Amino acid sequence: MYLQIVLLILLITAILAVAVIVGKYMAAVYKHERSPLDFLKQVEHFIFRVGGIDPQQEMTWKQYAVSLLVINGIWWILSFALLLLQGSLPLNPAGNPSMEWSLALNSSISFLTSTNLQHYSGESGATYLTQIAVFTFLQFVSAATSLAAGVAIVRGLARKASNSLGNFYSDLVLSVTRVLLPLCLLAGILLMFCGVPMNFNKPQSITTLQGDKVTVATGPVAAMLPIKEFGSNGGGFFGANDAHPFENPNVASFIIHVFMVLLLPAAFIFFLGYYINQKKFSRMIILIMCVGVVLLTIPIISQEIAGNPLQSKMGISVLSGNTEGKEVRFGSLLSSFYAGINVAIPAGTLVSMHDSYMPLSGISMLLGMQIDAFFGGVGTGWINMLVFVIIAIFMGSLMIGRTPEVFGKKITMRQIQLAMGIYIAQPLICLGLTGITIFAYNNLNAAGAAPAWFSNNSSHNFTTVLYEFTSSFAGNGSGFEGLADNNVFWNLTTAVAMMAGRFIPVLGALAIAGIMLRQRPTPYSAGTLQTDSASFGVMLFFVMVVLQVLSLFPALVLGPINEYLTQLS
Amino acid sequence: MTTRSNKLFEPALVQTALKESFIKLNPKVMMRNPVMFTVEVGTAIMLYMSIYSFLHTGQGSFSYNLIIFIVLLLTLLFANFAEAIAEARGKAQADSLRKTREETPANVLMPDGSIVSKSSNELRKGDYFVCEAGDTIPTDGEITEGLATIDESAITGESAPVIREAGGDKSSVTGGTKVLSDKIKVVVTTEPGESFLDKMIALVEGASRQKTPNEIALTILLASFTLIFIIVCVTLKPFADYANTPITIAALISLFVCLIPTTIGGLLSAIGIAGMDRALRANVITKSGKAVETAGDIDVLLLDKTGTITIGNRKATQFWPAPGVLPEDLVKAAVLSSLADETPEGKSIIELAQQSNMRIPMTAPEGAEFIKFTAETRSSGINTTDGLRIRKGAFDSIRNMSVAAGNKFSPDVEERVKAIASNGGTPLVVAQNEVVLGTIELQDIIKPGIAERFERLRKMGIKTVMVTGDNPLTAKFIAEKAGVDDFIAEAKPEDKMNYIKAEQQAGRLVAMMGDGTNDAPALAQADVGVAMNSGTQAAKEAGNMVDLDNDPTKLIEIVEIGKQLLITRGTLTTFSIANDVAKYFAIVPALFIASIPALQSINIMHLHSPESAILSAVIFNAIIIPMLIPLALKGVEYKPIGASALLRRNLLIYGLGGVIAPFIGIKLIDLLISLFF
C-alpha cells in the first residue's frame, strides 16, 4: 500500500510538471504569440470564414457574455431536438428509443453545462449518433466555453484601462483546436492501446463460461473518454462510467485517467501565472489546491481502507477495506483516491459507487464539490477561486489598513456585490432545492402519500439528496446513485441547479472582469497586501474552508455525521 | 482645550447614549444596518413566541423564550449604544470647539465707514469687521488689512501666540480666537452654520452621515453572510423535521442571531464615527468620512520643506562680500533690497543686519520702486530715484544679469556660492547696478526626529516627496539629510500639480498639505488635501481636511488614523466570522441531542444542557459587543512592521483568537448558567 501511495505522489508530481509546460503553451496561444501548433491557423481561418467571424474584433464583457449565451443557446436547442428524435435517426444499431422530454431536457442541459449528470445509461438510453453529435460534441464545446470564460477573466486582471476582453469566438475556437483536440487525440490513441474500444458495431451477444448469454455494448468509446476527463465533464459512454472495463480496463488506463482529469485544471493556474506575470502567486494557488485535494482525499482513503465497522463486528475480514461498490482491479486505495480527485475536480467520473462509501467520506465529497476550487473545473475552478481570492483580499487588506485591491485593481462595491452573489448562489440553490425537496417529502409523507421519487427515510438518504444538488450545481455530475433519479421531479430540479451553477458564476465573473478591465492598477508598495505571501495563502485557505463549512455544517451534522455516529453506537 | 477628555465613557455622554440606544430601535433607523435589522426582526418574533409560549405548549417554557427575547433585545441595545456613544463623543468634541464662537459681539464696518456692533450670529459672508487687542474674533474670516498677534489656544491648545497678517499665506483667522495686539480688518468668509466645523458636526450626527465606499462594500459583504445564514436556518427546519428532531423557533432564531456577524454589524458605524472623532482629537477637521479612509491608502506624501522638514524658515546666517567690496556696502545693499520683501528670508536678512554693529539706515529712500520676486526672474530688489538698481536672487539669474551687462563674474563669488550650496545652505547673490557685491548665506535647520518619522512612513509603504523652491543641489543635500525619498527642487506651483497628476496617472494616491492660494489647485487635485487653518480661504475650500494646529507633520498622523480605521473594521469582521465556529459547536448539538443522542460526542465543550448551551451562545454573542466598544472607539493599533507581518499578527490575534475566545467565553457563561437551570 505504501508503494501505491508513493507512486500516486510521483504521478501527481509528474502531472504538475507537464501542467507547467501546458500552462506556458496556453499563455502563448491566448496571447496570440508564436506557438508550436501555428500550422493549424489554416483550419481556424476556415472555421472563422465559414462562421462569418472576425477573430480580431475586440469585445466588451457584455458582448463577450452575450456571444457566449447565444451560442450556448443554439447548441442546447439542437441537442435537445436530437435527443428527442434519436430513436428514429441513423447510427442506432441497438435500436434504442428516443428520450422522454424531461430526460432529454436534463441530459442536454447536463452536457451543455459541463456537468454530465447522467439520468440515462449510455448503453440503452443513447444512440451512436447522439453519443457523438450531442454528448461528445457538447463535452468539447462546453469545455471550450469554460476555457474561454476563464481566459477572459484572466485578461480582465491583466489588461489596464481597457474595454475589451478579447474575442469570444476566437478564444472558443482556439480552445478546441489548440488545446482540447490535440490532447484528446493523443490520449485517445493511448487509451485504445489499453483496450478501450472504438467502433460502430452492434451490441454483441456472448455466451459466458457459465453458459449464460450476455449482451455486451461497445461503440466509439475512445473518442469520448479523453474529452470527458480533459474538459472536467465526466459523462461516461456507459452507465457505469470509469468503473466499466471498456472505459477503464486496467491500472495503465487508470493512470491515464488521473492524468487527464488533473492536467488542464492545474495547467490553467500556471497559465494564469504566465499570463499576468504572477508566477509566485500561481505556484501558491497550486499549493493551496494540492493541500486541499490531499486533505479532502485522506479522510476518504482512511475511511475506506479501515473498512466497515459493522462488518468487522460481524467477524467479517475488512483487510481489504470497505470493498462494497468498488472494482476489484482498483481496490479501496485507488478507488478512494480517484473519488477524492473527482469531487475536487468536477469531472465527477467514478470508478466506484459513492453510495457505498463510509458515512464520513460523504463529508469530504460534499465539501470538495461545494468548494469547487481545489483545482475545480478547467477554467471554472479559477472563477470560483477568484471569488474566494476577492473575499480573502477584502478582509486581509482591511486588516493591514489598506482599501482592498487584487493585483493592483481596487475591489469596489460592485465587485464585492458580484463576488458575494456568486458565493450566495451556491447555498441558495443547493440548500434551497434540498430544503424544498425535503419539505415536500415531509408533507406528502405526513399525508400518507410518500412520493415515488424518494426512497426511504434515513440520514443516508438525506445525504443522497444533498449530494445530487451539490453535484449538479458544482458541474460535477457524479451521483450517490442511490436515487431513482430519472423522473420529472429530479430531471427538472437538477436542471435548474445545473443552469444556475454554470451560468451564474460565469456571467458574474465576466462582469467582475469587465470592471477590472477598465481600472488602472495601483502599483505595488510596501503597504500592499502581498497576495503571494505565505500569510495570505494560509488566510485564503481558511477563508475557503471556513466559509463553506459554515453554510454546510448543520446539513453535515444531520447527514453524514448523524449516520456515522448512529452507526457507531 | 479644557473640555477635551480622553476618558471613553463620560457619565454625561453615557446618559445621552443610553437614551439614544432606545430611540434607535426604530425600524426605519435600523434598516440602514441590514445585519442588525434582521436581529430586530428576530427579536420581534421572540416577543411573539414569549407570549405564545405563555398560552400554549410545544415551543419551550415561557421563561426560556422570554430570556432569549431579552438577550436579543440587549444585543440590539448594545449595538445601538456603540453607535450612540461614538456619536455623542464626536458631537461633544465638535461642540466644545463650536462653543468658543457663539454670541460674540462684532464691530462691523459698514460700507459708509462707520462701525456698528452686532452679534456674531448676524454676520454674513462678505461683511467686514475690525478687531483690536483684547477682542475675540467673532467668526472665520480673512484679514484684508493689518497684522496682529493672535492667541489660538482655544482651537489648537497651543499657548504661544501666532502672527496673522494681510496678503500672504497666513491671513486666515478663526472664530473664537483672541487678538492680543494690534488691529486688523477682516472679511467674513462663511455664512453662519456653514463653517467646516458645522459640516463636520453634521457628518458625525446620524442625519447626514454618508456611508463611505469601503463601508458600503463591507456592509454588502456582511449582508451576504446574513443572507446565507437565513438560507441555512430556514432550510434547517425541514431538515430537522425529516430527521425527526423538531426544533423550537427560539432555538432556530438563536442559531441565526449567533451566526450572522452581529459583532461587526453592531460596531461598524461606531468604528466609522470614531475614525472622524480621532481625527478631530488630532485637531483635524475632515469634510468627509471618505477622506479619512483614503488617507490610510496614501502612496505618496508631498511635504513642503519649510516648516515640515526644516524648522521654520531659512535664515540669513552670514554676509560674504565679493573681493574688493566693503562689508558695509554689501549689507547696505542687501537691506535696501529686502525692506519691502515680505518673505521670511527677506526679514531674516534685516534681522542679521541689525545684529551686526554696522549702522545701516532701515528706511527706504523716498520714491523707490520695489521689484517683487517672480518665478521667472528669480530675483527681487529695489530701484531708487537716484538710479540705484539693487537685485538679490538666485546665483544664475544674477550672474546672467551681470554678464549680460558686460561685467565679469568673480570666480571667488562662484566658489563661495558652491561652498554654501554643498553645505545645504542657500546662497543669495546681491548685485548693485549689475555689479556683484557678494553673497548672503541662508541656512536650513532640519527638525529633530523627522528622519525617524520618514523611516516609519517608508515601512508603511509611503513615498515621501519634499517640495522646495531651493536649487537642486541644496534640495538634494536636505533631502538626503532628512531621509525623504524624492524631492521637487525649484518648485513652481504648477510643478506640484504636475507631480501629483503624474503619480495619480500611475495609479498612486497622493496626499499633500498646503496653505497658500497657489496651493489650492494642487490641494484639490490631491486625493487627500490638508489645508492649514491659518491658510487662505481658497486653500481651505480646495482641500478635504483642515488642520487646526497648522502642523505640517500632521499628515503622518492622519495616515495612521485612516489605517487604524480600516484595520479596526477588518479585524473585527474576521473576529466576528471566526466566532461562528465555536457557536456552531455550542448550538448544533443542542438542537438535535434530544432525538439523536449520538451527537453528544460533538458537544466538545460539554455544555450543561441544550437550553444552557443555546443561552450561553446568545449571551456571549450579546456581551461581546459592549466588550469591544472600547476597541472600536480607540481603534486597533497600527504597527508599521510590513504588510505580511501585520497580516500574520492580526490573523493570529483576531482570526485564531476569534476561534478560541468564544469556546472559553461560552463555556464560562454555561458554568454560570448551570447554577440556575
Side-chain angles (χ1 to χ4, degrees), chain A residues 398-399 401-403 413 420 423 431 438 442 456-458 520 522-523 525 527-528 530 533 535 547 550 562 565, chain B residues 216 220 224-225 228 235 238 242 296-297 299 460-461 505-507 563 566-567 574 584 596 601 643-644 648 650:
Chain A
L398 286 186
M399 275 203 279
R402 290 282 288 204
T403 58
M413 190 191 81
M420 292 312 281
Y423 167 57
L431 286 178
I438 300 284
N442 287 344
N456 58 350
N457 194 350
S458 69
R520 198 182 291 281
T522 312
S525 87
T528 316
Q530 285 163 286
S533 68
S535 321
L547 288 190
L550 282 183
N562 184 5
L565 292 172
Chain B
I216 295 171
I220 291 170
S224 308
F225 285 132
I228 284 181
T235 55
Y242 176 76
D297 267 351
D299 300 295
M460 290 181 191
Q505 203 73 64
K563 285 201 180 289
L566 296 175
I567 292 175
T574 308
Y584 258 138
I596 313 172
S601 57
S644 281
R648 207 155 43 235
N650 285 337

Side-chain angles (χ1 to χ4, degrees), chain A residues 195-217:
Chain A
V196 174
M198 181 68 200
N199 58 47
F200 287 91
N201 298 341
K202 247 201 266 221
Q204 290 163 11
S205 272
I206 292 172
T207 314
T208 66
L209 291 175
Q210 282 178 317
D212 359 323
K213 274 198 159 213
V214 279
T215 313
V216 180

Side-chain angles (χ1 to χ4, degrees), chain B residues 84-105:
Chain B
I85 190 89
E87 281 178 4
R89 276 163 55 84
K91 227 176 339 180
Q93 191 72 34
D95 277 345
S96 68
L97 285 177
R98 186 156 58 173
K99 214 172 281 167
T100 55
R101 56 180 60 192
E102 272 167 9
E103 288 299 316
T104 322

Side-chain angles (χ1 to χ4, degrees), chain B residues 588-639:
Chain B
V588 170
L591 291 179
F592 307 123
I593 223 155
S595 35
I596 313 172
L599 288 181
Q600 182 61 37
S601 57
I602 58 167
N603 179 11
I604 52 175
M605 281 183 268
H606 298 288
L607 301 178
H608 177 68
S609 70
E611 285 79 17
S612 76
I614 291 174
L615 217 49
S616 315
V618 187
I619 292 176
F620 175 84
N621 191 53
I623 61 170
I624 196 73
I625 296 176
M627 283 171 75
L628 289 175
I629 288 178
L631 189 70
L633 295 187
K634 279 195 241 156
V636 173
E637 201 190 340
Y638 172 72
K639 283 190 188 300

Side-chain angles (χ1 to χ4, degrees), chain A residues 510-529:
Chain A
L510 280 177
I512 293 177
I515 298 172
M516 301 232 177
L517 199 57
R518 286 197 295 270
Q519 289 177 336
R520 198 182 291 281
T522 312
Y524 176 84
S525 87
T528 316
L529 179 75

Side-chain angles (χ1 to χ4, degrees), chain B residues 435-456:
Chain B
V435 178
V436 173
L437 294 181
T439 321
I440 310 169
E441 179 172 355
L442 300 171
Q443 272 292 355
D444 275 308
I445 298 153
I446 290 170
K447 281 191 173 176
I450 200 78
E452 286 76 34
R453 299 197 91 161
F454 289 144
E455 186 52 39
R456 195 178 158 89

Side-chain angles (χ1 to χ4, degrees), chain A residues 76-144:
Chain A
W76 174 72
I77 292 170
L78 290 177
S79 314
F80 185 50
L82 278 175
L83 291 176
L84 282 177
L85 303 171
Q86 64 175 7
S88 25
L89 293 172
L91 278 180
N92 185 9
N96 290 336
S98 294
M99 278 191 184
E100 180 260 342
W101 71 270
S102 72
L103 181 62
L105 181 84
N106 184 284
S107 304
S108 52
I109 286 179
S110 168
F111 279 76
L112 182 77
T113 59
S114 191
T115 311
N116 296 200
L117 185 75
Q118 291 168 292
H119 285 175
Y120 67 92
S121 228
E123 298 92 326
S124 54
T127 67
Y128 290 163
L129 178 76
T130 47
Q131 289 280 31
I132 294 172
V134 175
F135 298 130
T136 310
F137 171 75
L138 282 182
Q139 284 181 331
F140 268 103
V141 293
S142 67

